[in-house]
Amino acid sequence: QVHLVESGGGSVQAGGSLRLSCAASGYSHSRATMGWFRQAPGKEREGVASIYLGGSNTYYTGAVKGRFTISPDNAKNTVYLQMNSLKPDDTAMYYCAFAPLWVAWALLPSGYGYWGQGTQVTVSS
């Protein structure tokens, strides 16, 4: 059973930075896909960034390109989401997701079978 634990959320002012971490256990994720999603109140869950650990292919939604970076630490079975130049629109609950294979549409929630509990990010203006 794969278990995901997110951390690193918090409250920052616009323009600030946060780094989210997602620690995975229960699977050797050498050929897995991991993604970060977010959901604001009243909105659907949207894909933010994803990475295929077998080849380091990364994908980002347009709203975060150039500001967010997803990266793995394979030794720690952890994936990070570095978030810079944060905006109030980035305020949401952020979730880590895992799939034990390559996911074709990696920014769609339907491609993932395992989810973390979420970590809140709040950006004030």
Side-chain angles (χ1 to χ4, degrees), residues 4-114:
L4 305 174
V5 178
E6 302 105 329
S7 61
S11 297
V12 296
Q13 290 191 328
S17 298
L18 285 172
R19 188 179 77 160
L20 306 183
S21 300
C22 175
S25 60
Y27 188 83
S28 175
H29 63 334
S30 60
R31 294 187 182 274
T33 302
M34 294 189 72
W36 283 99
F37 291 76
R38 65 187 181 186
Q39 188 166 19
K43 295 188 177 180
E44 292 186 354
R45 188 168 297 190
E46 66 167 341
V48 175
S50 69
I51 183 167
Y52 173 58
L53 300 176
S56 294
N57 308 65
T58 58
Y59 303 94
Y60 298 91
T61 190
V64 308
K65 280 182 180 178
R67 300 189 297 123
F68 291 11
T69 303
I70 188 170
S71 62
D73 184 335
N74 293 332
K76 296 181 178 180
N77 280 7
T78 298
V79 169
Y80 302 101
L81 184 68
Q82 178 66 43
M83 305 186 297
N84 298 328
S85 301
L86 282 161
K87 305 175 181 180
D89 284 349
D90 295 319
T91 296
M93 184 72 77
Y94 282 70
Y95 297 91
C96 176
F98 175 94
L101 72 170
W102 178 72
V103 177
W105 301 101
L107 294 182
L108 293 180
S110 58
Y112 299 85
Y114 300 93

